[in-house]
Amino acid sequence: MATEKILITGALGQIGTELTNRLVEIHGRENVVASGLDRYDQNLTSAGYYERMDVTNTQLVRQIVKDYEITTVYHLASLLSGTSEKQPLFAWKLNVEPLINFCEMAREGLLSKIFWPSSIAVFGKGIPKENVAQDVVLNPTTVYGISKLAGEKWCEYYHDKYGVDVRSIRYPGLISYKTPPGGGTTDYAVEIFYKAIEENSYTSFITEDTFMPMLYMEDAIEATLKLMQAEKDALSVRTSYNLGGMSFSPKELAAAIEKKQPGFTISYQPDFRQAIADSWPASIDDSVARQDWGLTYKYGLEEMTEDMLKNLKEKLK
Ligand code: AKB
């Protein structure tokens, strides 16, 4: 089997830092090229190479793919839901156009596989809240959701029309301690742990009974690798796979933290992100991913809370 040469965009972001390090473990440093807008930071990435690049610069990206003879791209660079509402035109440019650029390169034979993250933001208004199925009508009302839905349709188009092997997951909110997220609606579920450790209290920008699907980063990384390792023919979804993870509200998360850290308190001051959360599902049916490529999870609310508190305390010492 020919060696995979991997390029990761957004490699210093929340998913990127952890995915890059796992890919290095699997494929070796010399086969992994990390890239991002920020300066190289050896504490954040173990990749053998780092390219400081703007992913919207199509010519530069194409040159990097050629220079390193890249075969597989994990294209993670993206503006999240909160930030997208503030910069809608840039969100469209960043979230959609580079994906098309990578699909074009695959169509021309320069790349053999692409991973691209979609989001639970694709669902939107008028869709049942609970256990949302893979194949419901999609009606996003946020700029971010619209860009992710468009991206999904581009993935399907390039696959169906040109056989491009582009694979995708609709990530729920991702919780991790290594690198903080930036500009998302589900970010409260990470911020709360920092504040729990620093101040033993937190003011949530999401109301107490708003349920959203969430996933611990280790499970997200393993799911991503599993999808990318699956046999092509096993994949029945070429838009993006539902991933449910767990479903909880700020009140439930606060109670789980309080159990481990007595005296922890939470208050609520919802902001513009509440409307975004209200348009998203509370829980997701991910049975198609389980069936097609064996999706499983290790972490529930209790296990995730324990692991976050333990590791973040260590990190913030
Ligand atoms: C966000 O909140 O914008 C993201 C997402 C669910 O895609 N975490």
Side-chain angles (χ1 to χ4, degrees):
M1 203 171 70
T3 315
E4 262 192 87
K5 274 275 195 173
I6 296 168
L7 172 69
I8 301 132
T9 73
L12 302 185
Q14 190 197 15
I15 307 173
T17 44
E18 300 201 34
L19 186 60
T20 302
N21 293 338
R22 275 291 283 129
L23 288 167
V24 165
E25 279 169 21
I26 299 167
H27 298 274
R29 295 186 71 220
E30 67 286 4
N31 292 315
V32 179
V33 183
S35 73
L37 263 187
D38 295 325
R39 265 176 215 290
Y40 171 68
D41 179 344
Q42 64 176 15
N43 296 320
L44 286 180
T45 183
S46 56
Y49 308 91
Y50 183 78
E51 287 290 340
R52 198 166 178 203
M53 95 184 175
D54 174 356
V55 79
T56 64
N57 183 339
T58 46
Q59 283 317 315
L60 176 64
V61 175
R62 187 172 270 269
Q63 198 53 52
I64 285 169
V65 165
K66 284 186 180 161
D67 288 350
Y68 287 96
E69 299 179 345
I70 298 295
T71 59
T72 306
V73 173
Y74 289 79
H75 168 41
L76 306 177
S78 178
L79 225 56
L80 294 183
S81 54
T83 321
S84 293
E85 288 305 307
K86 293 181 182 158
Q87 303 177 60
L89 300 187
F90 181 59
W92 179 260
K93 190 173 175 58
L94 179 65
N95 291 0
V96 183
E97 290 176 9
L99 168 66
I100 300 174
N101 189 31
F102 283 124
C103 286
E104 270 296 300
M105 284 186 255
R107 181 180 71 81
E108 292 165 26
L110 281 175
L111 294 170
S112 43
K113 227 192 245 180
I114 302 167
F115 175 81
W116 177 76
S118 184
S119 161
I120 53 156
V122 293
F123 293 108
K125 252 202 183 135
I127 288 148
K129 278 267 182 202
E130 301 297 337
N131 224 16
V132 180
Q134 177 68 50
D135 236 351
V136 294
V137 171
L138 301 174
N139 189 22
T141 50
T142 61
V143 172
Y144 179 62
I146 293 168
S147 70
K148 289 297 180 184
L149 173 55
E152 286 190 9
K153 295 310 284 182
W154 278 112
C155 292
E156 188 179 50
Y157 178 82
Y158 270 93
H159 172 264
D160 292 356
K161 185 139 184 172
Y162 301 113
V164 167
D165 192 1
V166 49
R167 306 176 179 201
S168 176
I169 280 174
R170 290 174 180 153
Y171 287 125
L174 296 179
I175 300 167
S176 63
Y177 60 88
K178 288 191 182 150
T179 312
T185 302
T186 56
D187 291 8
Y188 90 84
V190 179
E191 280 179 17
I192 193 171
F193 285 99
Y194 281 84
K195 293 288 179 193
I197 290 164
E198 287 161 352
E199 299 168 17
N200 215 21
S201 70
Y202 177 62
T203 303
S204 169
F205 57 79
I206 296 295
T207 57
E208 60 181 343
D209 287 324
T210 305
F211 284 77
M212 282 185 273
M214 301 277 181
L215 190 63
Y216 201 39
M217 187 57 86
E218 193 180 315
D219 282 335
I221 301 294
E222 291 315 309
T224 306
L225 295 172
K226 233 181 201 176
L227 170 64
M228 287 300 273
Q229 282 154 6
E231 291 297 327
K232 244 185 189 176
D233 293 345
L235 306 182
S236 63
V237 175
R238 284 298 184 162
T239 48
S240 188
Y241 277 97
N242 273 11
L243 230 80
M246 45 195 138
S247 169
F248 57 75
S249 64
K251 192 171 156 188
E252 284 185 350
L253 178 55
I257 293 173
E258 214 269 334
K259 246 197 214 170
K260 305 269 168 224
Q261 205 168 283
F264 174 71
T265 56
I266 186 163
S267 55
Y268 302 92
Q269 249 173 51
D271 68 11
F272 73 100
R273 286 168 284 191
Q274 184 62 41
I276 300 178
D278 288 339
S279 76
W280 290 356
S283 61
I284 302 277
D285 171 357
D286 51 23
S287 50
V288 181
R290 289 174 191 270
Q291 230 163 45
D292 284 5
W293 44 274
L295 169 70
T296 51
Y297 306 115
K298 252 171 73 184
Y299 291 86
L301 177 58
E302 299 295 325
E303 296 85 357
M304 178 275 288
T305 303
E306 189 172 338
D307 207 65
M308 275 298 281
L309 285 172
K310 190 178 95 206
N311 284 297
L312 211 50
K313 269 183 196 152
E314 198 55 40
K315 186 180 159 185
L316 298 176
K317 250 186 201 166

